[in-house]
Amino acid sequence: MAIKVTKFGGTSMASAESINQVANIVNADKSRAYVIVSAPGKRFKEDIKVTDMLYSCFYDLEIKGECAGNFNKIRERFMGIVKDLELDFDIVPYLDQVEQDMIDNNSAEFCASRGEYLSAIVMAKKLGFEFVDAKDLMVFSPDGEFMPEETNAKVKQVLKNIKKAVIPGFYGADQYGTVHTFSRGGSDVSGAVIARAVKASIYENWTDVNGFMVTDPRIVPNPKQIPVLSYLELRELSYMGANVLHPESIFPVRKEGIAINIKNTFDPQNPGTLIVPEVNPDEVKGRVVTGIAGKKGYSIVFISKSMMNSEIGFARKVLSVFEYYNVSIEHIPSGIDTLSVVVADSEIAGKEEVILEKLRQEIKPDHLELKSGIALIATVGHGMCFNPGTSAKLCSGLAKVNINIRMLDQGSSEMNIIVGVSEDDYEEAIKAIYYAFYN
Ligand code: ASP
């Protein structure tokens, strides 16, 4: 029988009301066999996520050796949820144990993981499914690195005889039982890992939005929803800041070609966004641009030197300077006598002067300049391949609103055009590109 793996995010787990909604969704389809949950998130704008409260507990423990004040807020949260769900189950002994374990364990990762742990216990009771602890499934190395192949084997072995289970997201453990977490939002990765191991027919990722929008709705009001996109398009968009799904979620499911369906717990009839290995072109006829995403906080090192194109090893010398100073590079657009290196501000911060000086020594440029305050915008879509006029449309869209393009780079896959603009122009540039393709 086809098995579906479902993951519910923090807003879906935030209150008894939303948890009831989750239970309705799971119960509506018998193939929804494995349920991965986040810790309770925000119920309203000013609310605090349980994971954030748990980090506060850790800081309390570091400073005062106890965390009763912050932990009491977590107690209240969970006790309220269990009461409102009218479950015949006493969560207090679990809460007591967690508080004691946090005092004994005193690690940030252990503390942070307890939100998912408790959330999964509650959900398992609500659904009548077995609770399977993520520490027995997700394998990390003692220095905290996730180990995908070991995990895959372990999940297969443990879940072989468990037909329905609720599993906490976000964490796992090493061979000594020490708990480690993924980066924030990592329950998405946990769900993808489980989906791969059980060869799920689909990985449903339930959140609080109707999937991916073509661009950021905080910038463009009511942008179009993306019904379907490919793994590659998702990778490009999420790398550039489209953050509906943790960017690392793609790797486990890609290995088995499993589609991800982003769905909205609060609007379950909406089809959401389907992420597939390859989009069938007939399904998206006429679509040139799938999505537009961007980020601020980049710098560009502009280098020019006449005859650089015939100087063997020139690019290597430039790149080795960045490597020497341990700076990761985003893009390297080049012309005949020019080469630009785009880096994130966070990578180059504090090293600007020494890098420029080293470049001067190594490559003796005619001109060398660092420009900060750059925003990068990725316009992504398989439909752009072999579609003449796409970059012209994009550039004239920007020109119409008087935005100067500081850098333009088209990936060799032809499915991604990156433009660099001044950070002050960022929002206007996103709007201009969106309206150039969607009007
Ligand atoms: N609760 C964790 C966080 O807030 C992990 C997750 O929800 O995916 O980042």
Side-chain angles (χ1 to χ4, degrees), residues 76-376:
E76 276 166 28
R77 191 85 192 266
F78 278 104
M79 285 165 67
I81 288 175
V82 170
K83 180 170 162 279
D84 294 346
L85 285 172
E86 296 175 4
L87 291 177
D88 181 18
F89 151 67
D90 185 8
I91 195 169
V92 174
Y94 290 90
L95 291 164
D96 292 344
Q97 187 66 51
V98 162
E99 187 173 0
Q100 191 54 49
D101 288 347
M102 286 186 4
I103 293 168
D104 298 342
N105 260 281
N106 202 3
S107 96
E109 290 182 273
F110 179 79
C111 292
S113 74
R114 296 303 86 186
E116 271 69 14
Y117 169 78
L118 291 165
S119 189
I121 287 176
V122 172
M123 197 68 228
K125 295 280 179 212
K126 172 73 198 168
L127 289 170
F129 286 15
E130 193 165 323
F131 165 79
V132 179
D133 197 336
K135 79 171 173 30
D136 302 322
L137 296 174
M138 304 282 160
V139 186
F140 284 74
S141 72
D143 52 15
E145 207 173 305
F146 177 60
M147 301 174 79
E149 298 316 315
E150 290 76 357
T151 301
N152 196 42
K154 198 145 183 209
V155 175
K156 277 189 176 143
Q157 179 213 327
V158 175
L159 295 186
K160 199 167 59 198
N161 300 315
I162 304 175
K163 296 290 162 242
K164 300 219 158 182
V166 179
I167 302 160
F170 190 39
Y171 73 94
D174 63 27
Q175 67 207 85
Y176 307 108
T178 303
V179 164
H180 299 277
T181 55
F182 291 108
S183 56
R184 294 299 303 264
S187 300
D188 287 343
V189 186
S190 309
V193 167
I194 305 286
R196 173 193 173 196
V198 303
K199 295 197 188 326
S201 60
I202 194 154
Y203 170 33
E204 291 180 343
N205 190 294
W206 292 82
T207 174
D208 55 2
V209 290
N210 287 331
F212 280 88
M213 304 296 131
V214 172
T215 196
D216 189 338
R218 287 167 302 187
I219 300 175
V220 172
N222 298 317
K224 285 227 162 61
Q225 191 176 327
I226 306 179
V228 56
L229 77 159
S230 73
Y231 291 161
L232 268 179
E233 288 172 322
L234 169 71
R235 175 92 185 108
E236 303 274 1
L237 289 169
S238 56
Y239 184 73
M240 284 306 288
N243 57 8
V244 178
L245 190 71
H246 193 296
E248 278 156 41
S249 318
I250 201 75
F251 301 114
V253 287
R254 196 162 72 179
K255 293 215 161 76
E256 291 291 338
I258 299 165
I260 307 174
N261 194 183
I262 311 284
K263 295 271 290 172
N264 187 350
T265 300
F266 308 99
D267 185 7
Q269 300 313 324
N270 189 297
T273 296
L274 195 62
I275 302 151
V276 294
E278 263 168 54
V279 177
N280 174 356
D282 291 336
E283 253 181 79
V284 289
K285 265 214 168 86
R287 180 169 85 181
V288 177
V289 166
T290 305
I292 305 152
K295 274 197 234 171
K296 294 182 179 176
Y298 291 92
S299 295
I300 308 182
V301 179
F302 291 98
I303 303 165
S304 63
K305 184 175 185 187
S306 56
M307 304 298 284
M308 95 167 39
N309 62 333
S310 55
E311 195 177 318
I312 308 258
F314 187 86
R316 181 187 50 75
K317 282 187 214 152
V318 170
L319 298 186
S320 53
V321 170
F322 287 88
E323 185 180 355
Y324 182 77
Y325 290 106
N326 213 8
V327 171
S328 154
I329 287 167
E330 299 289 329
H331 301 281
I332 326 164
S334 64
I336 301 171
D337 288 331
T338 61
L339 184 86
S340 304
V341 182
V342 183
V343 292
D345 288 344
S346 53
E347 284 285 322
I348 202 172
K351 303 175 186 169
E352 298 89 337
E353 281 314 313
V354 3
I355 288 178
L356 293 182
E357 188 45 42
K358 188 91 176 155
L359 283 170
R360 269 182 215 112
Q361 287 167 13
E362 294 289 321
I363 54 167
K364 314 219 165 7
D366 297 339
H367 181 74
L368 180 69
E369 192 184 348
L370 174 87
K371 278 215 171 75
S372 299
I374 299 290
L376 295 184

